[in-house]
Short mmCIF file of all heavy atoms in Angstrom, two decimals:
data_model
loop_
_atom_site.label_atom_id
_atom_site.label_comp_id
_atom_site.label_asym_id
_atom_site.label_seq_id
_atom_site.Cartn_x
_atom_site.Cartn_y
_atom_site.Cartn_z
N HIS A 151 -20.56 -22.47 65.87
CA HIS A 151 -20.93 -21.62 66.98
C HIS A 151 -20.30 -22.07 68.27
O HIS A 151 -20.03 -23.20 68.54
CB HIS A 151 -22.50 -21.65 67.25
CG HIS A 151 -23.07 -20.61 68.12
ND1 HIS A 151 -23.14 -20.73 69.43
CD2 HIS A 151 -23.51 -19.37 67.84
CE1 HIS A 151 -23.57 -19.64 70.03
NE2 HIS A 151 -23.83 -18.80 69.08
N PRO A 152 -19.89 -21.09 69.18
CA PRO A 152 -19.14 -21.47 70.42
C PRO A 152 -19.88 -22.58 71.23
O PRO A 152 -19.28 -23.41 71.89
CB PRO A 152 -19.01 -20.26 71.20
CG PRO A 152 -18.95 -19.19 70.11
CD PRO A 152 -19.92 -19.72 69.10
N THR A 153 -21.21 -22.57 71.22
CA THR A 153 -22.00 -23.54 71.97
C THR A 153 -22.45 -24.73 71.19
O THR A 153 -23.16 -25.56 71.66
CB THR A 153 -23.25 -22.82 72.59
OG1 THR A 153 -24.04 -22.35 71.53
CG2 THR A 153 -22.89 -21.63 73.47
N ASP A 154 -21.96 -24.76 69.91
CA ASP A 154 -22.33 -25.75 69.03
C ASP A 154 -21.37 -27.01 69.14
O ASP A 154 -20.33 -26.97 68.56
CB ASP A 154 -22.37 -25.23 67.61
CG ASP A 154 -22.91 -26.29 66.51
OD1 ASP A 154 -23.42 -27.26 66.95
OD2 ASP A 154 -22.64 -26.06 65.39
N LYS A 155 -21.81 -28.05 69.83
CA LYS A 155 -20.93 -29.11 70.01
C LYS A 155 -20.74 -29.99 68.79
O LYS A 155 -19.65 -30.67 68.71
CB LYS A 155 -21.53 -30.00 71.14
CG LYS A 155 -21.56 -29.33 72.51
CD LYS A 155 -22.09 -30.19 73.62
CE LYS A 155 -22.15 -29.55 74.97
NZ LYS A 155 -22.74 -30.41 75.98
N ASN A 156 -21.67 -30.01 67.86
CA ASN A 156 -21.56 -30.82 66.73
C ASN A 156 -21.23 -30.10 65.46
O ASN A 156 -21.08 -30.73 64.37
CB ASN A 156 -22.75 -31.78 66.60
CG ASN A 156 -24.01 -30.91 66.42
OD1 ASN A 156 -24.15 -30.02 65.66
ND2 ASN A 156 -25.01 -31.28 67.33
N GLY A 157 -21.29 -28.79 65.56
CA GLY A 157 -20.92 -27.96 64.36
C GLY A 157 -22.03 -27.66 63.40
O GLY A 157 -21.84 -27.06 62.31
N TYR A 158 -23.24 -28.03 63.63
CA TYR A 158 -24.37 -27.85 62.71
C TYR A 158 -25.26 -26.71 63.12
O TYR A 158 -26.37 -26.52 62.42
CB TYR A 158 -25.16 -29.19 62.53
CG TYR A 158 -24.42 -30.18 61.84
CD1 TYR A 158 -23.78 -31.28 62.49
CD2 TYR A 158 -24.17 -30.09 60.46
CE1 TYR A 158 -22.92 -32.21 61.92
CE2 TYR A 158 -23.37 -30.96 59.79
CZ TYR A 158 -22.76 -32.02 60.45
OH TYR A 158 -21.95 -32.95 59.78
N ALA A 159 -24.90 -25.90 63.99
CA ALA A 159 -25.67 -24.64 64.29
C ALA A 159 -25.12 -23.55 63.29
O ALA A 159 -25.74 -22.53 63.14
CB ALA A 159 -25.49 -24.18 65.71
N ARG A 160 -24.00 -23.84 62.53
CA ARG A 160 -23.45 -22.82 61.67
C ARG A 160 -24.42 -22.65 60.46
O ARG A 160 -25.31 -23.48 60.19
CB ARG A 160 -22.07 -23.32 61.17
CG ARG A 160 -22.20 -24.57 60.11
CD ARG A 160 -20.80 -24.98 59.79
NE ARG A 160 -20.81 -26.03 58.68
CZ ARG A 160 -20.96 -27.28 58.86
NH1 ARG A 160 -21.22 -27.79 60.07
NH2 ARG A 160 -20.94 -28.10 57.83
N SER A 161 -24.07 -21.46 59.79
CA SER A 161 -25.01 -21.17 58.70
C SER A 161 -24.64 -21.88 57.45
O SER A 161 -23.47 -21.88 57.00
CB SER A 161 -24.96 -19.67 58.40
OG SER A 161 -25.56 -19.34 57.19
N PRO A 162 -25.58 -22.54 56.76
CA PRO A 162 -25.30 -23.12 55.44
C PRO A 162 -25.75 -22.21 54.22
O PRO A 162 -25.74 -22.68 53.10
CB PRO A 162 -26.17 -24.40 55.46
CG PRO A 162 -27.42 -24.01 56.19
CD PRO A 162 -26.88 -22.86 57.23
N VAL A 163 -26.22 -20.97 54.60
CA VAL A 163 -26.79 -20.12 53.55
C VAL A 163 -25.72 -19.48 52.78
O VAL A 163 -24.88 -18.74 53.24
CB VAL A 163 -27.71 -19.07 54.22
CG1 VAL A 163 -28.36 -18.22 53.24
CG2 VAL A 163 -28.73 -19.76 55.12
N PRO A 164 -25.79 -19.51 51.44
CA PRO A 164 -24.89 -18.78 50.52
C PRO A 164 -25.04 -17.32 50.77
O PRO A 164 -26.16 -16.83 50.82
CB PRO A 164 -25.30 -19.17 49.04
CG PRO A 164 -26.10 -20.42 49.26
CD PRO A 164 -26.75 -20.34 50.60
N MET A 165 -23.92 -16.59 50.84
CA MET A 165 -24.01 -15.15 51.08
C MET A 165 -24.79 -14.79 52.44
O MET A 165 -25.36 -13.77 52.45
CB MET A 165 -24.65 -14.34 49.90
CG MET A 165 -23.88 -14.51 48.61
SD MET A 165 -24.69 -13.66 47.24
CE MET A 165 -24.59 -12.01 47.84
N GLY A 166 -24.73 -15.72 53.33
CA GLY A 166 -25.52 -15.54 54.57
C GLY A 166 -25.15 -14.35 55.37
O GLY A 166 -26.08 -13.76 56.08
N SER A 167 -23.92 -13.82 55.22
CA SER A 167 -23.49 -12.67 56.08
C SER A 167 -23.97 -11.36 55.45
O SER A 167 -23.82 -10.29 56.02
CB SER A 167 -21.96 -12.64 56.08
OG SER A 167 -21.31 -12.51 54.92
#
Side-chain angles (χ1 to χ4, degrees):
H151 192 273
T153 61
D154 181 17
K155 296 181 180 179
N156 56 53
Y158 290 102
R160 71 184 190 274
S161 170
V163 180
M165 297 178 64
S167 67

